[in-house]
Amino acid sequence: MIFIKRLLVILILFISIVLIAAYFMPKEYSVEREITINKPADSIFKYVRSLKNQNEFSVWANRDPKIRITYKGTDGAVGAVSSWKSNVKEVGVGEQEITKITENRRLDFALRFKKPMEDTAVGFMSTEPVSGNQTKVRWGISGVIPYPTNIMLPMLKMDQMIGNDLQKGLENLKEKME
């Protein structure tokens, strides 16, 4: 009986320590990558504002050749939605909606993931002229991991996990544009 009580006390202490640590851990993540492409900013922006075009250079859309993608609204306009369904765990089920457009500069979007887990995030793609024929393209995603699951944030290495995919997507974009 004493063994069970001690085990229970140790378990309660462990859970308490984890919950207290999670309270002080960051809950937000933000990942951003950039690349310079040898094309004018307006032509790149015109291409990336289209959700259909984004699926051509996105690493996630290319992970599953059987992915099912549907579109609602006017592609490239605020309110346009791209929904995807995949049996590949890294792709899952979700949708992306264009929420704001700053013409020839920035595209903001909402990401709503449904499977393998429910989550929301926001993202952007921006173009910035470097010279007449060079453009810096930035792609970023940020979100919040709720308490107490935020205790896993440092172990998830979001910057590396998402960042590598963003970088590869930007490299795919550069290859398509140049």
Side-chain angles (χ1 to χ4, degrees):
M1 188 69 169
I2 292 175
F3 174 75
I4 294 174
K5 285 183 182 179
R6 286 183 181 165
L7 188 61
L8 188 60
V9 167
I10 290 170
L11 184 62
I12 290 170
L13 280 172
F14 177 75
I15 292 171
S16 297
I17 290 169
V18 168
L19 291 174
I20 290 169
Y23 181 78
F24 292 102
M25 297 291 284
K27 294 172 184 65
E28 298 178 3
Y29 65 90
S30 183
V31 181
E32 186 177 313
R33 294 294 187 268
E34 67 180 47
I35 198 165
T36 300
I37 299 176
N38 295 317
K39 281 285 190 185
D42 58 340
S43 66
I44 294 173
F45 189 82
K46 183 178 178 183
Y47 183 80
V48 300
R49 78 183 288 166
S50 165
L51 296 174
K52 289 178 184 175
N53 290 346
Q54 286 185 27
N55 286 324
E56 291 181 17
F57 62 85
S58 164
V59 171
W60 299 289
N62 290 306
R63 280 199 176 125
D64 181 6
K66 296 179 181 177
I67 191 170
R68 293 179 309 276
I69 302 173
T70 58
Y71 301 94
K72 290 189 311 189
T74 304
D75 194 13
V78 172
V81 177
S82 169
S83 300
W84 68 88
K85 289 183 183 178
S86 170
N87 292 325
V88 174
K89 183 182 173 191
E90 293 81 14
V91 180
V93 177
E95 63 184 18
Q96 174 180 348
E97 178 180 0
I98 297 175
T99 56
K100 182 179 177 185
I101 297 173
T102 305
E103 201 58 46
N104 288 325
R105 283 291 198 198
R106 185 174 163 121
L107 176 75
D108 291 281
F109 50 87
L111 293 164
R112 295 181 283 271
F113 304 101
K114 298 173 183 172
K115 285 185 183 175
M117 60 185 231
E118 288 209 21
D119 192 20
T120 59
V122 294
F124 74 91
M125 291 195 83
S126 68
T127 57
E128 177 185 333
V130 176
S131 68
N133 203 35
Q134 279 193 325
T135 303
K136 185 183 296 184
V137 180
R138 285 191 179 97
W139 193 359
I141 296 176
S142 58
V144 176
I145 297 183
Y147 173 84
T149 54
N150 66 307
I151 190 77
M152 297 183 331
L153 191 57
M155 294 171 271
L156 290 175
K157 298 181 180 176
M158 298 297 269
D159 189 70
Q160 183 180 10
M161 186 171 61
I162 295 173
N164 290 343
D165 289 344
L166 293 178
Q167 190 64 45
K168 179 63 178 152
L170 287 170
E171 290 166 7
N172 293 344
L173 174 64
K174 180 178 175 88
E175 189 177 307
K176 283 197 174 295
M177 296 303 295
E178 290 182 354

